[in-house]
Amino acid sequence: MKLNKKVVGITLASTLALGSLGFSSANEKVEAKKDSQKAKNVIVLVMDGVSSSTTTLARWYKGQPLAMDEILTGGVRTYSAESAITDSAPAGTAMATGNKSNDKFVGVLPEKVANPGVDADLADNPYKPVANVLEGAKISGKATGIISTSEIQHATPAAFSSHAAHRSDYDSIAEQQVYQDMDVVLGGGKNSLLAENRKDGENLVEVIDNKGYDLVETRDELLNSKSSKLWGSFAPSALAYDMDREQTNPDEPTLAEMTKKAISTLSKDKDGFFLFVEGSKPDWAAHANDPIGMISDTLSFDAAVKEALDFAKKNKNTMIVAVSDHGNSGISIGNQNTSGSYPSIPVSTYIDPLKEAEMTLEGALKQLKSDKSNVLEVAALYGIDNPTQEETKAIQESKDLGKTLVQLLANRANIGFTTGGHTGEDLFLYSFGPGSPTGLVENTEIAHSAAKAMGFDLKKLDNQVFVNAEAEFKKIGAKVKVDSADATNPVLVVTKGKTNAQFPVNKNVLIMNGKEIDLETVTVQSNGEFYVSKEAIQLVKKGK
């Protein structure tokens, strides 16, 4: 566990009874090694928007079993607090915090509960930030990290590392991630770190540098880094699809390489680690009904699972959970073409047309010239080679080339799609190691299983790290106001006697009587209310 270099003072772990947080005492830690439900390390991997038919296609395409196949242990129910079909934000929130939530909500409680089986009381405190498993791991002394092939500020990684009323609030999400003081952050999203792209004008790249990270921006820089604190920002927004990477973005690392590097870095911490990994872009491909992109990045994700599994088998004290957060596209192996002929159609009929593609839809379309003079060449890159007269006409006359190409390829491969949006079916659960969940579980159980394996209770943790600032400070006789002189960076100002305490939003910083103190958790403003930890309340109360 790393010591705070800025202040030697009160910390959450030392001011509060460890038992009240659900953390183990020193004696209990000795016993925990003998407990089959305890894990020193936890790795949660999420493949975004991957339906069961997608994994089946990926396996046939690969021609051999997936790494995930070895650890299939059950299924996951994915609905949100309000809908049978979830968005990534509430799905991520459920898996990170153990609470069902609403569309677009990241790490906060729902405003509306409409589904049976969801606790209606969750809506009693809408928009309240709730503690996640990464925060619990960090407070209990473990190293922490997140990885994503999208912007690192995207909904699912955001749910494991921040709290916001809307997933599109990249400014707040990015700032909270920087001030969460994680040990490893790898993915895209550099744009949200740059002062010129932020409403508050803050240069988060400079903050990352000041916090001692090795900021790496290429595959070689990542693999050659020896630092114990790594921030990899490999693209302005999302990384390329794995199939396209070597041709379009060769300097980007693969998801498996990022996962392996993160594990080797985090595992140096004697207290263990928590790592979140997302394969983001199968979901994006599914929205576009692009089976090539879906297969490409499902296989990329599976390679990352193999890295985690290889480590866990050797370590023997690591819990792995791999899962999809929701289905997408209603993809099916078989369509109207096969209604009467399906009993006699071999695998090759479905897979061979897909193997003709050299790039995903996104990669192929990027090769299209402005005058569209190479439209047939682009179609060939996507697997529509030697087009029929009818196909050629459709391609040349298309007003939406992407839509036309996916329809033509789906027809060739006898693949069906029912929607361009998410779907609500139960999904496969893959798990391994001590404390790992099995059977048909709610997505919220992933968070609770991870927390339990690491030795803390999420509900008890939440009661300590996110309390209503105004209400709790008034209890100790302090006065509270919000300084909104800079509307993009409001500051909670607390006065008690001669003590003046300032809490900048989205930071783990307390400025007390001019002295800057690092806190264990970030200060969050949600729906107009400020939330701080009980650690912060105690620091102001003592006036130190």
Side-chain angles (χ1 to χ4, degrees):
M1 181 177 182
K2 293 172 287 298
L3 294 176
N4 188 318
K5 295 181 180 179
K6 290 193 175 181
V7 61
V8 178
I10 302 171
T11 66
L12 188 58
S14 62
T15 56
L16 303 171
L18 293 179
S20 70
L21 281 173
F23 297 146
S24 300
S25 68
N27 290 332
E28 288 173 328
K29 282 185 177 180
V30 174
E31 293 298 317
K33 293 181 181 179
K34 302 176 183 178
D35 189 340
S36 63
Q37 298 304 305
K38 298 294 182 182
K40 182 178 180 181
N41 314 305
V42 172
I43 306 173
V44 174
L45 305 101
V46 174
M47 46 181 169
D48 202 311
V50 174
S51 304
S52 60
S53 290
T54 307
T55 54
T56 303
L57 273 176
R59 187 185 303 107
W60 285 124
Y61 187 96
K62 182 180 179 182
Q64 54 185 292
L66 303 175
M68 291 182 286
D69 293 344
E70 183 182 346
I71 57 171
L72 176 63
T73 55
V76 179
R77 303 183 70 189
T78 62
Y79 60 94
S80 72
E82 63 181 322
S83 175
I85 301 175
T86 188
D87 174 54
S88 290
T93 297
M95 293 185 288
T97 74
N99 295 280
K100 297 276 188 181
S101 197
N102 292 153
D103 184 44
K104 306 299 186 291
F105 287 22
V106 172
V108 300
L109 291 178
E111 184 178 38
K112 179 182 180 182
V113 174
N115 279 335
V118 182
D119 185 1
D121 291 344
L122 288 175
D124 290 345
N125 203 351
Y127 298 96
K128 178 193 176 296
V130 277
N132 62 52
V133 289
L134 184 144
E135 290 165 332
K138 182 164 69 76
I139 290 169
S140 60
K142 296 182 183 294
T144 58
I146 59 173
I147 300 173
S148 179
T149 54
S150 66
E151 301 94 325
I152 207 70
Q153 304 86 14
H154 214 251
T156 316
F160 279 82
S161 55
S162 67
H163 310 270
H166 200 288
R167 58 179 288 176
S168 66
D169 186 6
Y170 276 20
D171 279 11
S172 294
I173 291 168
E175 190 169 24
Q176 287 182 42
Q177 289 175 332
V178 169
Y179 283 91
Q180 281 282 18
D181 284 341
M182 295 175 280
D183 299 272
V184 175
V185 179
L186 305 175
K190 186 175 181 181
N191 276 347
S192 294
L193 305 175
L194 302 174
E196 59 265 30
N197 298 324
R198 296 179 53 80
K199 293 178 182 177
D200 60 15
E202 291 197 39
N203 185 345
L204 293 182
V205 172
E206 186 176 291
V207 176
I208 289 168
D209 184 63
N210 291 338
K211 284 181 172 289
Y213 287 96
D214 183 6
L215 179 61
V216 295
E217 299 186 62
T218 67
R219 175 182 181 271
D220 287 345
E221 289 177 355
L222 172 69
L223 299 182
N224 292 326
S225 177
K226 306 297 182 183
S227 178
S228 60
K229 291 189 71 174
L230 270 173
W231 194 294
S233 197
F234 304 109
S237 53
L239 276 64
Y241 283 99
D242 193 64
M243 179 180 282
D244 303 332
R245 178 178 40 78
E246 288 189 6
Q247 294 185 58
T248 62
N249 301 75
D251 286 337
E252 293 179 1
T254 67
L255 185 60
E257 288 170 337
M258 290 191 287
T259 301
K260 183 176 182 178
K261 184 65 173 184
I263 290 172
S264 68
T265 302
L266 297 172
S267 59
K268 295 174 184 177
D269 192 306
K270 62 181 179 60
D271 297 304
F273 66 86
F274 172 83
L275 174 63
F276 168 77
V277 180
E278 185 192 36
S280 316
K281 293 184 69 170
D283 179 67
W284 300 17
H287 278 296
N289 288 176
D290 170 21
I292 305 304
M294 296 163 76
I295 292 170
S296 161
D297 279 35
T298 298
L299 291 177
S300 171
F301 177 85
D302 191 60
V305 172
K306 184 179 186 303
E307 291 292 347
L309 191 55
D310 287 348
F311 171 80
K313 286 178 178 178
K314 294 178 182 178
N315 176 266
K316 301 186 187 303
N317 201 5
T318 298
M319 178 180 119
I320 293 175
V321 177
V323 70
S324 178
D325 55 348
H326 54 75
N328 193 338
S329 79
I331 185 173
S332 62
I333 303 171
N335 57 19
Q336 292 298 320
N337 296 340
T338 65
S339 294
S341 56
Y342 62 85
S344 60
I345 300 176
V347 169
S348 59
T349 301
Y350 300 98
I351 298 301
D352 287 354
L354 301 178
K355 288 201 169 184
E356 293 298 320
E358 298 176 31
M359 304 188 81
T360 70
L361 181 66
E362 178 182 282
L365 290 177
K366 285 183 177 178
Q367 312 308 310
L368 185 64
K369 296 178 180 179
S370 58
D371 62 0
K372 299 184 180 181
S373 60
N374 66 332
V375 66
L376 291 178
E377 288 85 349
V378 168
L381 286 173
Y382 191 61
I384 313 298
D385 56 340
N386 299 315
T388 65
Q389 185 175 356
E390 184 179 351
E391 288 174 330
T392 299
K393 181 179 179 182
I395 293 167
Q396 291 177 333
E397 296 180 359
S398 176
K399 295 182 179 179
D400 186 339
L401 184 59
K403 185 176 181 180
T404 298
L405 291 179
V406 296
Q407 289 174 340
L408 292 176
L409 185 60
N411 187 61
R412 283 189 173 195
N414 296 304
I415 301 298
F417 293 97
T418 63
T419 179
H422 295 180
T423 52
E425 72 273 20
D426 298 340
L427 299 168
F428 290 136
L429 169 69
Y430 307 90
S431 63
F432 177 86
S436 57
T438 60
L440 179 61
V441 302
E442 296 284 351
N443 53 6
T444 51
E445 182 57 29
I446 292 171
H448 292 299
S449 294
K452 184 178 180 181
M454 290 187 285
F456 59 88
D457 180 276
L458 275 169
K459 291 184 178 179
K460 291 179 180 178
L461 175 68
D462 183 60
N463 289 333
Q464 302 295 336
V465 299
F466 289 117
V467 297
N468 184 283
E470 183 174 5
E472 294 299 317
F473 278 123
K474 284 184 176 179
K475 287 180 182 179
I476 65 170
K479 296 180 180 180
V480 177
K481 69 176 183 178
V482 177
D483 181 356
S484 298
D486 179 354
T488 61
N489 275 308
V491 177
L492 180 71
V493 180
V494 182
T495 54
K496 183 177 183 295
K498 295 182 179 180
T499 298
N500 178 278
Q502 299 176 40
F503 296 87
V505 71
N506 299 325
K507 295 179 172 66
N508 69 326
V509 172
L510 162 61
I511 303 170
M512 190 154 61
N513 295 333
K515 182 179 181 181
E516 187 171 307
I517 301 170
D518 280 358
L519 301 171
E520 294 279 10
T521 55
V522 294
T523 296
V524 177
Q525 186 184 36
S526 183
N527 201 33
E529 299 286 342
F530 272 81
Y531 294 87
V532 298
S533 67
K534 286 191 175 179
E535 173 200 19
I537 307 295
Q538 291 297 319
L539 284 166
V540 174
K541 184 177 181 179
K542 294 179 180 295
K544 295 183 179 179

